[in-house]
Amino acid sequence: MKSAIILTLTLLVLGIGNWLISSVFNLNFVDVSIPFAVVCAGLAHSFTGGTSPYTRQSDMEMRGETGIRMPFKNKAARTSFVFFGTLTYFVFALVMTFVFYREYFIG
């Protein structure tokens, strides 16, 4: 139940963010959706992934300060429902763009 709420909130926040950007810059909602989804998916993966560059940087700083080399555990990348929500939004944006510009793609 918690994961469904997180996924729904992620889609809602992305939709509102996309609407705000398209309103402020006077652009079409569909034209902004794909780049916005790609940027949000990259941010979500970098902040919620198990082996993010931020985590590795803090590990390296700790090694440099203490001089103790801790064994690096290769963690499997944990993906969150926020990341799955951004991917869902990206797929929805692709489908919506194809439907909106179907005359351009087909003919």
Side-chain angles (χ1 to χ4, degrees):
M1 182 67 182
K2 180 182 171 184
S3 59
I5 292 172
I6 292 172
L7 188 72
T8 305
L9 283 175
T10 301
L11 292 174
L12 184 67
V13 167
L14 289 174
I16 290 171
N18 193 4
W19 176 75
L20 284 173
I21 289 174
S22 63
S23 296
V24 168
F25 294 109
N26 199 18
L27 297 169
N28 193 357
F29 185 85
V30 176
D31 295 338
V32 176
S33 63
I34 291 178
F36 182 71
V38 168
V39 168
C40 289
L43 287 173
H45 181 64
S46 66
F47 284 115
T48 61
T51 57
S52 69
Y54 309 108
T55 306
R56 286 185 292 200
Q57 181 181 357
S58 66
D59 287 344
M60 290 297 176
E61 287 175 0
M62 185 62 75
R63 288 180 191 176
E65 289 176 6
T66 62
I68 300 170
R69 183 168 185 250
M70 300 295 291
F72 180 70
K73 297 178 184 174
N74 192 4
K75 299 183 237 177
R78 59 177 172 84
T79 53
S80 68
F81 286 100
V82 173
F83 181 67
F84 288 135
T86 56
L87 287 183
T88 304
Y89 189 80
F90 176 70
V91 169
F92 177 72
L94 282 176
V95 169
M96 191 170 57
T97 302
F98 184 74
V99 168
F100 193 74
Y101 293 116
R102 64 181 169 268
E103 290 89 18
Y104 177 76
F105 290 119
I106 295 173

